[in-house]
Protein backbone atom coordinates (compact mmCIF):
# COMPACT_ATOMS: atom_id res chain seq x y z
CA UNK A 1 0.00 0.00 0.00
CA UNK A 2 2.78 2.48 0.88
CA UNK A 3 4.60 2.33 -2.51
CA UNK A 4 1.30 2.82 -4.34
CA UNK A 5 0.43 5.79 -2.13
CA UNK A 6 3.83 7.35 -2.84
CA UNK A 7 3.31 6.86 -6.56
CA UNK A 8 -0.16 8.45 -6.37
CA UNK A 9 1.12 11.38 -4.28
CA UNK A 10 4.07 12.00 -6.63
CA UNK A 11 1.76 11.88 -9.65
CA UNK A 12 -0.49 14.34 -7.83
CA UNK A 13 2.42 16.74 -7.26
CA UNK A 14 3.44 16.60 -10.93
CA UNK A 15 -0.13 17.09 -12.10
CA UNK A 16 -0.44 19.96 -9.60
CA UNK A 17 2.57 21.57 -11.25
CA UNK A 18 0.79 21.27 -14.59
CA UNK A 19 -2.42 22.65 -13.03
CA UNK A 20 -0.45 25.77 -12.04
CA UNK A 21 0.21 26.33 -15.74
CA UNK A 22 -3.45 25.67 -16.54
CA UNK A 23 -4.91 28.02 -13.91
CA UNK A 24 -2.44 30.75 -14.85
CA UNK A 25 -2.72 30.57 -18.62
CA UNK A 26 -6.23 29.35 -19.50
CA UNK A 27 -8.03 32.50 -18.17
CA UNK A 28 -5.47 34.58 -20.14
CA UNK A 29 -6.23 32.58 -23.28
CA UNK A 30 -2.58 31.51 -23.58
CA UNK A 31 -1.33 28.14 -24.81
CA UNK A 32 -0.72 25.64 -22.03
CA UNK A 33 1.99 23.86 -24.03
CA UNK A 34 4.12 26.73 -25.31
CA UNK A 35 6.26 28.47 -24.13
CA UNK A 36 7.89 26.40 -21.36
CA UNK A 37 7.32 27.35 -17.70
CA UNK A 38 8.76 30.78 -17.06
CA UNK A 39 8.77 33.57 -14.50
CA UNK A 40 5.72 35.79 -15.18
CA UNK A 41 7.74 38.87 -14.14
CA UNK A 42 11.02 38.57 -16.08
CA UNK A 43 10.35 35.72 -18.51
CA UNK A 44 13.24 33.62 -17.14
CA UNK A 45 12.68 30.05 -18.39
CA UNK A 46 12.69 27.58 -15.51
CA UNK A 47 15.48 25.01 -15.52
CA UNK A 48 14.33 21.46 -14.72
CA UNK A 49 15.63 21.73 -11.14
CA UNK A 50 13.72 24.98 -10.68
CA UNK A 51 10.50 23.26 -11.74
CA UNK A 52 10.30 20.45 -9.16
CA UNK A 53 6.94 20.62 -7.34
CA UNK A 54 7.07 22.19 -3.87
CA UNK A 55 10.82 21.45 -3.40
CA UNK A 56 12.02 24.09 -5.87
CA UNK A 57 9.79 26.68 -4.24
CA UNK A 58 11.24 25.85 -0.81
CA UNK A 59 14.80 25.68 -2.18
CA UNK A 60 14.45 29.07 -3.91
CA UNK A 61 12.70 30.47 -0.80
CA UNK A 62 9.66 31.44 -2.90
CA UNK A 63 11.56 33.75 -5.26
CA UNK A 64 12.52 33.76 -8.94
CA UNK A 65 16.23 32.92 -9.22
CA UNK A 66 16.74 35.48 -12.01
CA UNK A 67 14.84 38.58 -10.88
CA UNK A 68 13.99 37.84 -7.23
CA UNK A 69 10.25 38.45 -7.64
CA UNK A 70 8.13 36.67 -5.02
CA UNK A 71 6.51 33.44 -6.29
CA UNK A 72 3.13 33.28 -4.53
CA UNK A 73 2.48 30.45 -2.06
CA UNK A 74 -0.45 29.39 -4.24
CA UNK A 75 1.98 27.53 -6.53
CA UNK A 76 3.18 24.97 -3.96
CA UNK A 77 -0.28 25.01 -2.30
CA UNK A 78 -1.98 23.87 -5.51
CA UNK A 79 0.62 21.12 -5.97
CA UNK A 80 0.07 19.87 -2.42
CA UNK A 81 -3.72 20.01 -2.82
CA UNK A 82 -3.53 18.03 -6.07
CA UNK A 83 -1.51 15.35 -4.26
CA UNK A 84 -3.86 15.26 -1.24
CA UNK A 85 -6.87 15.00 -3.54
CA UNK A 86 -5.22 12.16 -5.45
CA UNK A 87 -4.56 10.29 -2.19
CA UNK A 88 -8.21 10.76 -1.13
CA UNK A 89 -9.46 9.37 -4.45
CA UNK A 90 -7.02 6.46 -4.23
CA UNK A 91 -8.05 5.75 -0.63
CA UNK A 92 -11.74 5.61 -1.64
CA UNK A 93 -11.50 3.82 -5.02
CA UNK A 94 -8.37 1.75 -4.56
CA UNK A 95 -6.25 0.30 -7.35
CA UNK A 96 -9.11 -0.02 -9.85
CA UNK A 97 -9.85 0.65 -13.51
CA UNK A 98 -12.00 3.59 -12.39
CA UNK A 99 -9.05 5.28 -10.69
CA UNK A 100 -7.53 7.14 -13.71
CA UNK A 101 -10.86 8.66 -14.76
CA UNK A 102 -11.75 9.60 -11.19
CA UNK A 103 -8.34 11.26 -10.71
CA UNK A 104 -8.67 13.30 -13.92
CA UNK A 105 -12.14 14.44 -12.84
CA UNK A 106 -10.94 15.39 -9.34
CA UNK A 107 -8.00 17.39 -10.73
CA UNK A 108 -10.30 19.18 -13.19
CA UNK A 109 -12.55 20.12 -10.24
CA UNK A 110 -9.52 21.52 -8.41
CA UNK A 111 -8.35 23.57 -11.41
CA UNK A 112 -11.84 24.98 -12.04
CA UNK A 113 -12.25 25.89 -8.36
CA UNK A 114 -8.91 27.70 -8.38
CA UNK A 115 -9.72 29.62 -11.58
CA UNK A 116 -13.22 30.54 -10.39
CA UNK A 117 -11.90 31.87 -7.06
CA UNK A 118 -9.25 33.96 -8.82
CA UNK A 119 -11.17 35.21 -11.86
CA UNK A 120 -14.91 34.42 -11.30
CA UNK A 121 -14.72 32.45 -14.54
CA UNK A 122 -15.26 28.81 -15.43
CA UNK A 123 -13.55 28.72 -18.83
CA UNK A 124 -15.21 26.95 -21.75
CA UNK A 125 -11.77 25.65 -22.65
CA UNK A 126 -12.06 23.29 -19.67
CA UNK A 127 -15.80 22.70 -19.23
CA UNK A 128 -16.63 21.93 -22.87
CA UNK A 129 -13.87 19.32 -23.40
CA UNK A 130 -14.75 18.17 -19.86
CA UNK A 131 -18.30 17.35 -20.97
CA UNK A 132 -17.00 15.40 -23.98
CA UNK A 133 -14.38 13.56 -21.91
CA UNK A 134 -16.97 12.50 -19.32
CA UNK A 135 -19.36 11.23 -21.99
CA UNK A 136 -16.49 9.40 -23.72
CA UNK A 137 -15.29 7.73 -20.51
CA UNK A 138 -18.75 6.57 -19.48
CA UNK A 139 -19.51 5.59 -23.10
CA UNK A 140 -16.41 3.38 -23.15
CA UNK A 141 -17.96 1.69 -20.14
CA UNK A 142 -20.21 -0.14 -22.64
CA UNK A 143 -17.17 -2.19 -23.71
CA UNK A 144 -15.12 -1.90 -20.53
CA UNK A 145 -17.58 -1.60 -17.63
CA UNK A 146 -14.81 -1.27 -15.03
CA UNK A 147 -13.68 2.20 -16.07
CA UNK A 148 -17.02 4.04 -16.04
CA UNK A 149 -18.15 6.30 -13.19
CA UNK A 150 -21.79 6.21 -14.40
CA UNK A 151 -23.85 4.47 -17.07
CA UNK A 152 -23.77 6.12 -20.54
CA UNK A 153 -27.51 6.88 -20.37
CA UNK A 154 -27.17 8.47 -16.95
CA UNK A 155 -24.19 10.54 -18.16
CA UNK A 156 -26.09 11.81 -21.21
CA UNK A 157 -29.10 12.66 -19.06
CA UNK A 158 -26.72 14.34 -16.59
CA UNK A 159 -25.47 16.72 -19.27
CA UNK A 160 -28.96 17.57 -20.54
CA UNK A 161 -30.51 17.98 -17.08
CA UNK A 162 -27.45 19.66 -15.57
CA UNK A 163 -27.30 22.28 -18.25
CA UNK A 164 -31.09 22.57 -18.61
CA UNK A 165 -32.11 22.67 -14.94
CA UNK A 166 -29.59 25.32 -14.00
CA UNK A 167 -30.57 27.31 -17.09
CA UNK A 168 -34.19 27.29 -15.87
CA UNK A 169 -33.12 28.28 -12.34
CA UNK A 170 -30.98 31.13 -13.68
CA UNK A 171 -33.78 32.32 -15.97
CA UNK A 172 -36.24 32.20 -13.04
CA UNK A 173 -33.86 34.12 -10.79
CA UNK A 174 -33.41 36.77 -13.47
CA UNK A 175 -37.19 36.97 -13.99
CA UNK A 176 -37.87 37.68 -10.31
CA UNK A 177 -34.87 39.83 -9.42
CA UNK A 178 -33.86 41.33 -12.76
CA UNK A 179 -30.31 40.53 -11.78
CA UNK A 180 -28.17 37.83 -13.38
CA UNK A 181 -27.64 34.97 -10.93
CA UNK A 182 -25.53 32.09 -12.08
CA UNK A 183 -23.34 32.57 -15.12
CA UNK A 184 -23.21 30.43 -18.24
CA UNK A 185 -19.98 28.92 -16.91
CA UNK A 186 -21.87 27.37 -13.99
CA UNK A 187 -24.32 25.78 -16.42
CA UNK A 188 -21.59 24.13 -18.48
CA UNK A 189 -19.79 23.08 -15.30
CA UNK A 190 -22.91 21.35 -13.97
CA UNK A 191 -23.36 19.70 -17.38
CA UNK A 192 -19.76 18.49 -17.12
CA UNK A 193 -20.42 17.09 -13.64
CA UNK A 194 -23.44 15.26 -15.08
CA UNK A 195 -21.29 13.82 -17.87
CA UNK A 196 -18.87 12.33 -15.33
CA UNK A 197 -21.11 11.37 -12.39
CA UNK A 198 -24.43 10.71 -14.15
CA UNK A 199 -27.69 12.53 -13.50
CA UNK A 200 -28.10 11.27 -9.93
CA UNK A 201 -24.60 12.41 -8.97
CA UNK A 202 -25.23 15.73 -10.71
CA UNK A 203 -28.53 16.27 -8.87
CA UNK A 204 -26.97 15.50 -5.47
CA UNK A 205 -24.05 17.80 -6.35
CA UNK A 206 -26.47 20.67 -7.02
CA UNK A 207 -28.29 19.87 -3.77
CA UNK A 208 -25.06 19.93 -1.72
CA UNK A 209 -23.82 23.09 -3.49
CA UNK A 210 -27.12 24.88 -2.84
CA UNK A 211 -27.10 23.95 0.87
CA UNK A 212 -23.44 24.82 1.51
CA UNK A 213 -23.58 27.90 -0.74
CA UNK A 214 -26.81 29.06 0.92
CA UNK A 215 -25.29 28.55 4.36
CA UNK A 216 -22.20 30.59 3.48
CA UNK A 217 -24.31 33.31 1.81
CA UNK A 218 -26.44 33.56 4.98
CA UNK A 219 -23.27 33.82 7.02
CA UNK A 220 -22.07 36.68 4.81
CA UNK A 221 -25.42 38.44 5.28
CA UNK A 222 -25.28 38.02 9.07
CA UNK A 223 -21.73 39.35 9.11
CA UNK A 224 -22.96 42.39 7.21
CA UNK A 225 -20.92 41.74 4.09
CA UNK A 226 -23.94 42.80 2.01
CA UNK A 227 -26.09 40.88 -0.42
CA UNK A 228 -24.23 42.18 -3.43
CA UNK A 229 -21.05 40.50 -2.32
CA UNK A 230 -20.52 38.18 -5.28
CA UNK A 231 -19.63 34.63 -4.26
CA UNK A 232 -18.72 32.37 -7.16
CA UNK A 233 -20.91 29.26 -7.25
CA UNK A 234 -18.32 27.09 -9.03
CA UNK A 235 -16.36 26.10 -5.91
CA UNK A 236 -19.56 24.85 -4.22
CA UNK A 237 -20.40 22.76 -7.28
CA UNK A 238 -16.84 21.40 -7.25
CA UNK A 239 -17.11 20.58 -3.54
CA UNK A 240 -20.42 18.77 -4.08
CA UNK A 241 -19.02 16.85 -7.05
CA UNK A 242 -15.89 15.84 -5.13
CA UNK A 243 -18.04 14.56 -2.23
CA UNK A 244 -20.24 12.62 -4.67
CA UNK A 245 -17.14 11.16 -6.33
CA UNK A 246 -15.67 10.05 -3.00
CA UNK A 247 -18.76 9.00 -0.98
CA UNK A 248 -21.67 8.49 -3.42
CA UNK A 249 -23.40 5.64 -1.55
CA UNK A 250 -22.95 7.16 1.90
CA UNK A 251 -24.36 10.53 0.83
CA UNK A 252 -27.26 9.01 -1.12
CA UNK A 253 -28.35 6.77 1.74
CA UNK A 254 -28.01 9.63 4.25
CA UNK A 255 -30.17 11.73 1.94
CA UNK A 256 -32.80 8.97 1.62
CA UNK A 257 -32.84 8.46 5.40
CA UNK A 258 -33.36 12.21 5.79
CA UNK A 259 -36.29 12.10 3.34
CA UNK A 260 -37.94 8.81 4.24
CA UNK A 261 -40.06 7.90 7.26
ZN1 LIG B 1 11.83 36.39 -12.66
Amino acid sequence: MIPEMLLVALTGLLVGSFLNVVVHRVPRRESILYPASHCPACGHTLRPWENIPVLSWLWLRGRCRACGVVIPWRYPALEILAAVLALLVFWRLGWSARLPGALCFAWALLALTWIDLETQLLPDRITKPGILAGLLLNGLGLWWPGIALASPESALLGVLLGYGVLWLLAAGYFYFTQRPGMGGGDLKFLGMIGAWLGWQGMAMTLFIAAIVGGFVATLYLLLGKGRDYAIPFGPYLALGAALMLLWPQEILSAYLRFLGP
Side-chain angles (χ1 to χ4, degrees), residues 39-44 64-69:
C39 167
C42 71
H44 164 68
C64 168
R65 197 177 59 91
C67 71
V69 76

Side-chain angles (χ1 to χ4, degrees), residues 1 8 87-100:
M1 199 70 178
V8 169
L87 282 173
L88 262 175
V89 173
F90 177 59
W91 168 57
R92 292 299 302 159
L93 274 72
W95 210 244
S96 66
R98 289 160 69 221
L99 185 64

Side-chain angles (χ1 to χ4, degrees), residues 11 104 109 154 204 227:
T11 309
C104 290
L109 293 177
S154 179
M204 281 306 297
R227 50 194 283 242

Side-chain angles (χ1 to χ4, degrees), residues 43-148:
H44 164 68
T45 301
L46 297 187
R47 306 276 168 77
W49 60 270
E50 292 173 294
N51 208 3
I52 304 165
V54 185
L55 289 181
S56 289
W57 189 82
L58 291 173
W59 169 253
L60 296 165
R61 294 195 181 79
R63 288 181 180 279
C64 168
R65 197 177 59 91
C67 71
V69 76
V70 172
I71 303 165
W73 57 267
R74 70 170 181 81
Y75 285 88
L78 183 57
E79 288 159 358
I80 291 169
L81 271 175
V84 169
L85 198 57
L87 282 173
L88 262 175
V89 173
F90 177 59
W91 168 57
R92 292 299 302 159
L93 274 72
W95 210 244
S96 66
R98 289 160 69 221
L99 185 64
L103 284 174
C104 290
F105 181 57
W107 286 322
L109 293 177
L110 180 60
L112 284 166
T113 301
W114 214 262
I115 292 174
D116 200 11
L117 287 174
E118 284 191 345
T119 66
Q120 273 81 54
L121 288 171
L122 292 165
D124 283 359
R125 262 178 81 190
I126 300 179
T127 51
K128 280 183 177 173
I131 290 174
L132 287 180
L135 288 176
L136 190 70
L137 177 88
N138 288 322
L140 282 176
L142 284 175
W143 294 275
W144 191 8
I147 66 167

Side-chain angles (χ1 to χ4, degrees), residues 6-7 17 23 37 42 64 75-76 86 88 114 130 136 138 151 158 164 171 182 203 206 212 219 221 230:
L6 273 176
L7 180 68
S17 184
V23 303
S37 293
C42 71
C64 168
Y75 285 88
L88 262 175
W114 214 262
L136 190 70
N138 288 322
S151 75
M182 283 165 295
L206 184 59
V212 179
L219 217 60
L221 275 178

